[in-house]
Amino acid sequence: MDIKYELKDKTQRRTEPLIPNEPLPFGVLRTDHMFIMDYEDGEWQNARIVPYEDIAISPGAIALHYGQAIFEGAKAFQHEDGEIYTFRIDKNAKRMNKSADIVCIPNIPEEIQIEAVHALIDVDRLWFPQQEGASLYIRPFIFATQDSLGVHPSSSYKFMVILSPSGPYYPAGFTKPIKLLITEKFHRAAPGGTGSSKAAGNYAASLRAGEFAKKFGASQVLYLDTTNTYIEEAGAMNHFHITKDGEVVIPEFVDSVLRSITSESIIELSDKLEMKVTQKRVKIKEFIEDVKDKKITEAGGFGTAAVISPVGEYVFEDGSSLVVGNGEIGENTKKIYEYYTGIQTGKVEAPKGWLRKVERKI
Ligand code: PLP
Ligand code: COI
């Protein structure tokens, strides 16, 4: 791909590695530049890296009215050799195209998406946060730009990538287990819907439930399927639990559940972790009974932003609560977290192809 570079003047650009004041929030900071490519006249064109700034879009843009927009979330890590590596970015690129299919957006070849991400990180590499546990969060997204009030797929789009030097998604990081609200009031997705995509509208639809959860002191909602029988997801994470025998169970990837790259990775790592990792439909009633009977001793969520977030307690709308194990971070959860983050940060050998070095080109 031919990328045009319209970079900030050298004097305006970061010259030193980023040492932010503690604590570094998730998703707030931006780097100096962004990547943009347009879809016009039936093809993706005009790839460019430009200073990060507001962009002009038509007030009638389809994305603004009908939500034809999708995104991805990935991370890059700086290793001891000083180089930056993206983590499983090919999986994000593949899932972007799957989401694109679901909301009728034209695909972008995976290698082009990856090249865009790597070129942008290369330009802004000094923005890598030098704090323990921090990473460069990568946000690629596509949205419909055609000015039209008819409900139909847009004829034009923008593909963009922005970067955010970030700390943990949940402010306490891995130190404090989160709480989830078990409720039948809200559902994230339905069979035949868009739940298996990272469509922007799925997240708009989740806001009310997230705010409702906060009233009960919970970080998020544990989403059930529309029949309130099975566990589906935990906010913007896949859910998992671990039995007293050390088996990790992740709800099946039905079409109302996002196929988490973190979950897939833990499944692929089961031999290395020496843990049994299975997927099945998990009945909420059985789950609650098994937590009470201590047959389930650990639980949590898997996700790029949230990494591995232990859940210490589930709360209900009547104010009652259900503590998992002893409410602390369990040893299996810790083992998974350490192994997984060890791979990401280069301390544990990564399976082939999981990490890609950001080459120095600029
Ligand atoms: N489920 C939902 C609804 C999400 O938004 C995310 C975050 O991307 C995940 C699960 C976790 O997916 P991944 O591990 O690929 O980040
Ligand atoms: C991610 O984990 O990357 C996500 O996309 C979740 C997000 C909505 C913060």
Side-chain angles (χ1 to χ4, degrees), residues 146-256:
Q146 187 188 351
D147 183 348
S148 169
L149 298 184
V151 180
H152 56 77
S154 180
S155 58
S156 59
Y157 300 88
K158 279 194 193 308
F159 166 58
M160 299 184 60
V161 185
I162 60 174
L163 303 173
S164 181
S166 287
Y169 189 66
Y170 292 110
F174 193 68
T175 56
K176 195 165 171 276
I178 58 167
K179 276 189 207 173
L180 293 177
L181 174 72
I182 298 182
T183 177
E184 297 186 351
K185 266 209 180 84
F186 300 103
H187 298 93
R188 180 187 161 270
T194 59
S196 63
S197 74
K198 281 185 79 75
N202 290 339
Y203 296 81
S206 75
L207 297 176
R208 207 163 46 132
E211 291 303 298
F212 186 70
K214 283 190 197 140
K215 291 188 191 155
F216 299 88
S219 311
Q220 261 301 344
V221 161
L222 178 71
Y223 285 111
L224 307 179
D225 76 316
T226 49
T227 69
N228 293 318
T229 310
Y230 301 105
I231 294 178
E232 294 214 320
E233 299 213 60
M237 304 180 289
N238 275 177
H239 187 258
F240 72 89
H241 68 255
I242 307 181
T243 66
K244 66 176 176 7
D245 307 319
E247 180 179 347
V248 182
V249 180
I250 302 169
E252 219 174 87
F253 293 143
V254 293
D255 83 337
S256 43

Side-chain angles (χ1 to χ4, degrees), residues 73-75 87-88 91-92 95 236-238 240 250 253 258-269 273 277 301-309 336-337 340-341 344 354:
K75 277 182 177 170
F87 180 75
R88 307 211 78 180
K91 301 277 280 181
N92 292 97
R95 190 172 62 188
M237 304 180 289
N238 275 177
F240 72 89
I250 302 169
F253 293 143
L258 188 77
R259 186 177 277 268
S260 153
I261 294 165
T262 315
S263 294
E264 289 189 316
S265 301
I266 303 303
I267 294 166
E268 286 171 53
L269 289 173
L273 285 164
V277 186
F302 289 142
T304 297
V307 198
I308 284 114
S309 287
I336 297 171
Y337 179 84
Y340 192 66
T341 54
Q344 291 180 318
W354 282 27

Side-chain angles (χ1 to χ4, degrees), residues 16 21 45 62 96 116 129 131 138 149 152 155-156 162 165 181 187 218 231 272 309 316-317 320 342 361:
E16 298 284 330
N21 293 330
Q45 51 183 288
I62 287 177
M96 180 76 107
Q131 233 170 354
I138 305 162
L149 298 184
H152 56 77
S155 58
S156 59
I162 60 174
L181 174 72
H187 298 93
I231 294 178
K272 289 262 163 59
S309 287
F316 297 88
E317 285 167 67
S320 61
K361 292 191 176 159

